[in-house]
Amino acid sequence: MMIETAELTKTYNGRGGCRGITLQVPKGCIFGLLGPNGAGKSTFVKMLAGLHRPDSGRANVLGLPLGRPEARRKLGYLPELFRFQDWLTPAEVLRFHGQLGGLRPQETRAPAFRSRVRDSLELVGLSEAADRRVGGFSKGMQQRLGLAAALLLDPELVILDEPASALDPVGRYEIRSLLKRLRGRGVTIFLNTHLLEDVEELCDEAAFLYGGELLASGPLHKLLSGTGDSGDSGANWRFRLGGWLPETWAELNDAVGGALSSQLSLVEADESGNALLSARVTDREQAGYLISLFIRSGLTLYESGPEPYSLEDWFLRMAGSRQGGVPQ
């Protein structure tokens, strides 16, 4: 695992922050950290980057305990809030970050490092601005420069805190393409973002924080299908049927003792006898019971299975379940 935490906790005088976070991030994936504002995401990210010391719990990053210099050399980090010296050029900023990363001054003046600087600026689309002063950059351009700094020393793990928040749609598309290329090279990317479409487009796995606590984590496709470690008591299933007649609903309702409406809902039906039904089931055995009920009633089952949420639906359901009700 690239990141492993066990009961990791950091609060501020007993309030805020995050508590008891146990999480695993596999090597070579893009991992998305989700949650509403104030959920504790940035606190957790800063602990991983070695900027906050946890109150309790433990964590390994790149196979080493938090804060170890050996791990930091292989870690690239883009904070959410950053400022660069207005009077420097991008090349000078990257030379400074190279020294922060452990390179000696003479190493940052060598041709090999200058070539690396050019490559980093080209990666993020800043080649043409290499000799301009950073003070004249837009926030989006500064964000690209921050990403170049995070990637400068060829890290094995990149932690990005809201990397696309200041970018326009074209810029976000370019950054998503870059992150996919990095994943293809085996780089692990830990992405803290509120942009759900970026998570849906990029991430292999995700976790959801709310109120400082971890509510769900796992492969994204399993979370959206309701089969991941989401703390949810069931999943929505859909059944596509043939042979549906106007009287079928009443017949099915009689077969289950008049409780059908608490289990099933009719999504749509057409004059050709095709129907789509939705049910909230607690496990596959309950879904199997409904399938047997349909078949005994003379219906043809064309398709059945868990109904994937959109990421937005899943996000709202997770937040709503914590607040005591699911948003409609």
Side-chain angles (χ1 to χ4, degrees):
M1 290 291 169
M2 191 61 69
I3 297 172
E4 292 183 278
T5 73
E7 298 295 321
L8 202 63
T9 297
K10 171 68 178 179
T11 62
Y12 306 96
N13 296 322
R15 298 191 299 272
C18 56
R19 299 174 295 280
I21 307 299
T22 297
L23 191 65
Q24 293 185 328
V25 177
K27 183 178 180 179
C29 77
I30 300 180
F31 191 100
L33 184 64
L34 294 167
N37 292 337
K41 304 189 301 299
S42 289
T43 296
F44 183 69
V45 165
K46 288 175 181 177
M47 283 192 286
L48 295 181
L51 300 178
H52 279 342
R53 182 174 296 176
D55 299 334
S56 61
R58 56 184 176 82
N60 285 347
V61 175
L62 292 137
L64 296 167
L66 278 182
R68 291 284 290 272
E70 302 94 314
R72 289 186 180 181
R73 293 190 187 102
K74 303 176 183 177
L75 169 67
Y77 174 53
L78 173 63
E80 179 181 10
L81 301 175
F82 54 86
R83 285 293 302 272
F84 299 116
Q85 296 86 345
D86 290 348
W87 58 91
L88 297 181
T89 67
E92 290 168 336
V93 168
L94 295 186
R95 187 180 306 123
F96 175 60
H97 277 260
Q99 294 179 32
L100 290 178
L103 298 180
R104 296 188 299 272
Q106 58 268 34
E107 291 179 291
T108 64
R109 291 191 289 268
F113 184 79
R114 291 200 297 269
S115 177
R116 179 178 292 185
V117 167
R118 287 194 298 271
D119 291 344
S120 297
L121 293 175
E122 184 177 356
L123 268 177
V124 300
L126 286 179
S127 294
E128 296 182 1
D131 297 322
R132 291 170 50 187
R133 300 296 176 187
V134 173
F137 280 15
S138 67
K139 191 173 188 301
M141 292 175 70
Q142 291 197 32
Q143 201 149 24
R144 289 171 182 266
L145 180 56
L147 185 57
L151 299 175
L152 178 65
L153 300 181
D154 293 327
E156 296 179 22
L157 169 65
V158 181
I159 298 176
L160 304 176
D161 199 348
E162 301 289 0
S165 60
L167 301 178
D168 60 24
V170 173
R172 283 172 50 205
Y173 172 80
E174 292 173 347
I175 296 302
R176 285 199 300 263
S177 299
L178 170 59
L179 297 182
K180 290 176 182 178
R181 293 200 304 273
L182 292 172
R183 175 177 56 189
R185 286 163 36 185
V187 178
T188 304
I189 299 165
F190 189 92
L191 185 64
N192 176 26
T193 180
H194 69 280
L195 299 173
L196 299 183
E197 59 268 37
D198 285 354
V199 175
E200 210 157 19
E201 171 75 17
L202 288 170
C203 292
D204 307 293
E205 301 202 13
F208 185 90
L209 264 62
Y210 189 96
E213 298 180 3
L214 180 67
L215 298 190
S217 65
L220 190 61
H221 70 277
K222 288 188 177 181
L223 294 176
L224 297 185
S225 68
T227 59
D229 180 19
S230 65
D232 203 342
S233 61
N236 285 338
W237 275 56
R238 286 202 166 193
F239 307 89
R240 198 168 293 278
L241 305 166
W244 188 268
L245 299 171
E247 61 270 20
T248 300
W249 183 268
E251 294 172 358
L252 289 173
N253 196 45
D254 289 342
V256 297
L260 190 65
S261 61
S262 65
Q263 295 178 277
L264 277 172
S265 61
L266 179 62
V267 178
E268 60 184 35
D270 61 29
E271 295 179 355
S272 300
N274 299 306
L276 177 63
L277 276 66
S278 177
R280 186 73 179 164
V281 302
T282 56
D283 52 39
R284 289 180 177 270
E285 184 176 347
Q286 188 178 22
Y289 164 75
L290 291 172
I291 290 172
S292 67
L293 175 65
F294 299 146
I295 293 174
R296 290 199 307 270
S297 300
L299 297 168
T300 300
L301 179 68
Y302 294 130
E303 181 184 349
S304 70
E307 175 186 351
Y309 301 130
S310 71
L311 187 57
E312 181 178 27
D313 290 340
W314 181 80
F315 186 102
L316 292 174
R317 180 176 292 277
M318 292 301 301
S321 67
R322 192 63 176 178
Q323 294 171 347
V326 178
Q328 301 297 317

